[in-house]
Amino acid sequence: MLGEFEIIARYFTRPAKSAGLGVGDDCALVASPPGLTLAITTDMLLEGRHFLPGADPRQLGHKTLAVNLSDLAAMGADPRWFTLAIALPEVDETWLENFSAGMFALADAHRIELIGGDTTRGPLTMSVTAIGTLPPGYALRRDGASVGDEIWISGVTGDAALALAHAQGRILLPAGAAALCRARLDTPEPRIGLGRKLRGIASAAIDVSDGLAADLGHILERSGVGAEVELDAVPRSEALRAAADPSLAMACVLSGGDDYELCFTAPPEQRSAVLAAGVAAGVSVTSIGRIVEGAALTLLDASGAIVPIARAGFDHFRPPQ
Ligand code: ADP
Ligand code: MG
């Protein structure tokens, strides 16, 4: 059976590229990029909490890195380096092979380099720390939204939660829709290109990991503003529009986690720049409402009447109401 250092050498070591020194020493060494700000983020995935036992290892490798790249995207940062801390219950070479292939495929697509980590035995857990760079002053922070700004969302939200509802037997999707939604859940695409294009255009941004309403709520709280969102304007996938249970579908769109789309705000005069950023990044962007005074998130129906918010987003320490 492979030992710790053989696992690292075989599955987690590649020749250093932009790092001065990568895997293999007590620390990695990278040159501080002159004139740039570092953006640093950590996200952890636990078996049984963030993914089901027996999850496909290639997809897990993808998702472990994707959720961290999504945080860099939400800040508008360019991905540079990452570290991986992993606990494995046993040495399963096929599993390691696939996990590492899924992770490196996404890493190569976004030109981010694995420069170190830690490997130990324990309940299956992965924790990545990702480092990106930005020109100083250009980070897309949560606290930058102002009254009058438009609220935007990339892509569509709710598909990942719909896949989960299908997997748990709360809804039955046709096979094609189930597969599409499942891919959104298992292999989310971090919106790195869009985040980068939104630098200097968006006033605030967040990635939607806990549900659109909850994550937009974080922007509102940090910015000290309220929001009005037009429900009919919130984009939905084919699968969601066709879903048999419309109230469940709406709950997925507003409160479903794991979409990893970007929710952001921008002054109305930036509208054409936002649309151009979406085109350049190859992802749809939709205006769903506006920032208003106050602190509340108000949902409006087509007639302008207020719709009560059913359920907040996911919170690890609070059971769903
Ligand atoms: P130390 O005991 O000095 O902390 P380790 O024995 O934990 O070093 O790790 C040896 C080298 O392998 C270090 O460079 C570390 O960053 C790297 N490493 C360990 N686990 C991983 C991993 N899962 N992915 C990438 N690099 C790793
Ligand atoms: Mg050490």
Side-chain angles (χ1 to χ4, degrees), residues 74 140-142 150-155 157 191 194 198 202-209 211-217 219-220 229 260-266 286 288 291:
L140 309 178
R141 300 162 53 127
R142 296 180 182 182
E150 271 186 287
I151 302 166
W152 297 80
I153 184 82
S154 68
T157 59
R191 302 301 187 193
L194 180 64
L198 288 173
S203 49
I206 190 167
D207 64 322
V208 180
S209 55
L212 175 57
D215 287 319
L216 174 56
I219 290 185
L220 303 185
V229 167
Y260 301 100
E261 293 295 349
L262 297 185
C263 176
F264 56 97
T265 60
T286 310
I288 59 170
I291 296 293

Side-chain angles (χ1 to χ4, degrees), residues 36-61:
L36 294 179
T37 297
L38 298 179
I40 305 171
T41 181
T42 299
D43 247 322
M44 184 157 73
L45 264 66
L46 266 80
E47 184 176 68
R49 178 143 288 270
H50 301 95
F51 59 91
L52 296 171
D56 179 87
R58 184 177 285 262
Q59 293 175 343
L60 266 188

Side-chain angles (χ1 to χ4, degrees), residues 18 33 35-41 68-82 107 109-113 130-136 138-140 191-199:
S18 76
L36 294 179
T37 297
L38 298 179
I40 305 171
T41 181
N68 283 276
L69 285 172
S70 179
D71 281 320
L72 292 184
M75 218 67 190
D78 290 311
R80 293 278 184 142
W81 308 286
F82 71 107
H110 292 286
R111 289 199 243 113
I112 188 168
E113 186 177 357
I131 303 170
T133 51
L134 276 165
Y138 279 83
L140 309 178
R191 302 301 187 193
I192 290 289
L194 180 64
R196 183 190 291 131
K197 297 273 182 230
L198 288 173
R199 276 184 211 157

Side-chain angles (χ1 to χ4, degrees), residues 234-272:
V234 181
R236 270 152 259 206
S237 68
E238 246 348 283
L240 267 157
R241 276 184 270 132
D245 179 342
S247 72
L248 179 76
M250 187 46 83
C252 288
V253 171
L254 294 175
S255 310
D258 265 353
D259 293 305
Y260 301 100
E261 293 295 349
L262 297 185
C263 176
F264 56 97
T265 60
E269 59 271 22
Q270 295 285 10
R271 165 164 265 273
S272 55

Side-chain angles (χ1 to χ4, degrees), residues 4-5 8 12 23-26 84 86 114 116-119:
E4 175 188 336
F5 297 103
I8 298 167
F12 299 122
V23 171
D25 213 312
D26 293 310
L84 166 73
I86 187 164
L114 179 64
D118 203 14
T119 304

Side-chain angles (χ1 to χ4, degrees), residues 149 151 216-217 219-220 225-230 265 288-300 309:
D149 284 357
I151 302 166
L216 174 56
I219 290 185
L220 303 185
V225 292
E228 286 176 357
V229 167
E230 285 149 33
T265 60
I288 59 170
R290 68 206 71 79
I291 296 293
V292 296
E293 280 177 28
L297 168 57
T298 308
L299 302 180
L300 303 173
I309 300 180

